[in-house]
PDB file of all heavy atoms in Angstrom:
ATOM      1  N   GLN A  20      -0.510  -3.921   7.658  1.00 88.00           N
ATOM      2  CA  GLN A  20      -1.800  -4.515   7.310  1.00 88.00           C
ATOM      3  C   GLN A  20      -1.632  -5.855   6.614  1.00 88.00           C
ATOM      4  O   GLN A  20      -2.552  -6.685   6.620  1.00 88.00           O
ATOM      5  CB  GLN A  20      -2.582  -3.573   6.398  1.00 88.00           C
ATOM      6  CG  GLN A  20      -2.823  -2.185   6.971  1.00 88.00           C
ATOM      7  CD  GLN A  20      -3.662  -2.214   8.229  1.00 88.00           C
ATOM      8  OE1 GLN A  20      -3.138  -2.436   9.323  1.00 88.00           O
ATOM      9  NE2 GLN A  20      -4.947  -2.006   8.081  1.00 88.00           N
ATOM     10  N   LEU A  21      -0.477  -6.075   5.995  1.00 93.00           N
ATOM     11  CA  LEU A  21      -0.262  -7.319   5.271  1.00 93.00           C
ATOM     12  C   LEU A  21      -0.306  -8.520   6.199  1.00 93.00           C
ATOM     13  O   LEU A  21      -0.950  -9.533   5.888  1.00 93.00           O
ATOM     14  CB  LEU A  21       1.080  -7.270   4.528  1.00 93.00           C
ATOM     15  CG  LEU A  21       1.515  -8.554   3.815  1.00 93.00           C
ATOM     16  CD1 LEU A  21       0.477  -8.990   2.789  1.00 93.00           C
ATOM     17  CD2 LEU A  21       2.874  -8.363   3.157  1.00 93.00           C
ATOM     18  N   ALA A  22       0.361  -8.458   7.327  1.00 92.00           N
ATOM     19  CA  ALA A  22       0.363  -9.582   8.265  1.00 92.00           C
ATOM     20  C   ALA A  22      -1.051  -9.886   8.747  1.00 92.00           C
ATOM     21  O   ALA A  22      -1.427 -11.053   8.914  1.00 92.00           O
ATOM     22  CB  ALA A  22       1.278  -9.278   9.449  1.00 92.00           C
ATOM     23  N   GLN A  23      -1.838  -8.838   8.964  1.00 93.00           N
ATOM     24  CA  GLN A  23      -3.224  -9.037   9.389  1.00 93.00           C
ATOM     25  C   GLN A  23      -4.023  -9.766   8.310  1.00 93.00           C
ATOM     26  O   GLN A  23      -4.795 -10.686   8.604  1.00 93.00           O
ATOM     27  CB  GLN A  23      -3.862  -7.679   9.681  1.00 93.00           C
ATOM     28  CG  GLN A  23      -5.287  -7.754  10.183  1.00 93.00           C
ATOM     29  CD  GLN A  23      -5.887  -6.377  10.389  1.00 93.00           C
ATOM     30  OE1 GLN A  23      -6.424  -5.776   9.455  1.00 93.00           O
ATOM     31  NE2 GLN A  23      -5.777  -5.866  11.610  1.00 93.00           N
ATOM     32  N   ALA A  24      -3.822  -9.383   7.061  1.00 95.00           N
ATOM     33  CA  ALA A  24      -4.531 -10.038   5.966  1.00 95.00           C
ATOM     34  C   ALA A  24      -4.126 -11.508   5.841  1.00 95.00           C
ATOM     35  O   ALA A  24      -4.975 -12.396   5.684  1.00 95.00           O
ATOM     36  CB  ALA A  24      -4.254  -9.304   4.657  1.00 95.00           C
ATOM     37  N   LEU A  25      -2.824 -11.772   5.926  1.00 96.00           N
ATOM     38  CA  LEU A  25      -2.347 -13.148   5.813  1.00 96.00           C
ATOM     39  C   LEU A  25      -2.871 -14.005   6.969  1.00 96.00           C
ATOM     40  O   LEU A  25      -3.287 -15.157   6.765  1.00 96.00           O
ATOM     41  CB  LEU A  25      -0.822 -13.170   5.788  1.00 96.00           C
ATOM     42  CG  LEU A  25      -0.168 -12.540   4.546  1.00 96.00           C
ATOM     43  CD1 LEU A  25       1.329 -12.385   4.762  1.00 96.00           C
ATOM     44  CD2 LEU A  25      -0.433 -13.389   3.300  1.00 96.00           C
ATOM     45  N   SER A  26      -2.875 -13.458   8.161  1.00 95.00           N
ATOM     46  CA  SER A  26      -3.370 -14.199   9.321  1.00 95.00           C
ATOM     47  C   SER A  26      -4.845 -14.536   9.173  1.00 95.00           C
ATOM     48  O   SER A  26      -5.303 -15.604   9.599  1.00 95.00           O
ATOM     49  CB  SER A  26      -3.141 -13.391  10.599  1.00 95.00           C
ATOM     50  OG  SER A  26      -1.753 -13.190  10.830  1.00 95.00           O
ATOM     51  N   THR A  27      -5.596 -13.646   8.545  1.00 96.00           N
ATOM     52  CA  THR A  27      -7.018 -13.895   8.321  1.00 96.00           C
ATOM     53  C   THR A  27      -7.238 -15.085   7.408  1.00 96.00           C
ATOM     54  O   THR A  27      -8.142 -15.902   7.628  1.00 96.00           O
ATOM     55  CB  THR A  27      -7.679 -12.643   7.706  1.00 96.00           C
ATOM     56  OG1 THR A  27      -7.594 -11.568   8.644  1.00 96.00           O
ATOM     57  CG2 THR A  27      -9.133 -12.907   7.356  1.00 96.00           C
ATOM     58  N   GLY A  28      -6.404 -15.204   6.385  1.00 97.00           N
ATOM     59  CA  GLY A  28      -6.607 -16.260   5.401  1.00 97.00           C
ATOM     60  C   GLY A  28      -5.927 -17.571   5.709  1.00 97.00           C
ATOM     61  O   GLY A  28      -6.259 -18.603   5.105  1.00 97.00           O
ATOM     62  N   LEU A  29      -4.983 -17.594   6.652  1.00 97.00           N
ATOM     63  CA  LEU A  29      -4.218 -18.815   6.930  1.00 97.00           C
ATOM     64  C   LEU A  29      -5.091 -20.011   7.332  1.00 97.00           C
ATOM     65  O   LEU A  29      -4.802 -21.141   6.904  1.00 97.00           O
ATOM     66  CB  LEU A  29      -3.167 -18.550   7.999  1.00 97.00           C
ATOM     67  CG  LEU A  29      -1.867 -17.914   7.503  1.00 97.00           C
ATOM     68  CD1 LEU A  29      -0.973 -17.555   8.674  1.00 97.00           C
ATOM     69  CD2 LEU A  29      -1.143 -18.854   6.541  1.00 97.00           C
ATOM     70  N   PRO A  30      -6.144 -19.846   8.140  1.00 97.00           N
ATOM     71  CA  PRO A  30      -6.964 -21.016   8.468  1.00 97.00           C
ATOM     72  C   PRO A  30      -7.601 -21.681   7.254  1.00 97.00           C
ATOM     73  O   PRO A  30      -8.005 -22.839   7.329  1.00 97.00           O
ATOM     74  CB  PRO A  30      -8.041 -20.428   9.401  1.00 97.00           C
ATOM     75  CG  PRO A  30      -7.401 -19.225  10.002  1.00 97.00           C
ATOM     76  CD  PRO A  30      -6.549 -18.657   8.902  1.00 97.00           C
ATOM     77  N   TYR A  31      -7.659 -20.978   6.128  1.00 97.00           N
ATOM     78  CA  TYR A  31      -8.261 -21.521   4.919  1.00 97.00           C
ATOM     79  C   TYR A  31      -7.203 -22.121   3.994  1.00 97.00           C
ATOM     80  O   TYR A  31      -7.516 -22.560   2.886  1.00 97.00           O
ATOM     81  CB  TYR A  31      -9.057 -20.426   4.201  1.00 97.00           C
ATOM     82  CG  TYR A  31     -10.165 -19.888   5.075  1.00 97.00           C
ATOM     83  CD1 TYR A  31      -9.916 -18.878   6.009  1.00 97.00           C
ATOM     84  CD2 TYR A  31     -11.445 -20.424   4.992  1.00 97.00           C
ATOM     85  CE1 TYR A  31     -10.918 -18.406   6.837  1.00 97.00           C
ATOM     86  CE2 TYR A  31     -12.463 -19.950   5.818  1.00 97.00           C
ATOM     87  CZ  TYR A  31     -12.195 -18.948   6.734  1.00 97.00           C
ATOM     88  OH  TYR A  31     -13.195 -18.488   7.563  1.00 97.00           O
ATOM     89  N   ALA A  32      -5.955 -22.141   4.454  1.00 97.00           N
ATOM     90  CA  ALA A  32      -4.856 -22.808   3.748  1.00 97.00           C
ATOM     91  C   ALA A  32      -4.152 -23.713   4.747  1.00 97.00           C
ATOM     92  O   ALA A  32      -3.023 -23.454   5.168  1.00 97.00           O
ATOM     93  CB  ALA A  32      -3.891 -21.780   3.167  1.00 97.00           C
ATOM     94  N   PRO A  33      -4.812 -24.785   5.192  1.00 94.00           N
ATOM     95  CA  PRO A  33      -4.324 -25.576   6.325  1.00 94.00           C
ATOM     96  C   PRO A  33      -2.993 -26.274   6.094  1.00 94.00           C
ATOM     97  O   PRO A  33      -2.335 -26.672   7.063  1.00 94.00           O
ATOM     98  CB  PRO A  33      -5.449 -26.592   6.548  1.00 94.00           C
ATOM     99  CG  PRO A  33      -6.181 -26.663   5.245  1.00 94.00           C
ATOM    100  CD  PRO A  33      -6.088 -25.296   4.645  1.00 94.00           C
TER     101      PRO A  33
END
Side-chain angles (χ1 to χ4, degrees):
Q20 303 297 83
L21 175 58
Q23 182 183 86
L25 293 169
S26 297
T27 296
L29 278 173
Y31 300 85

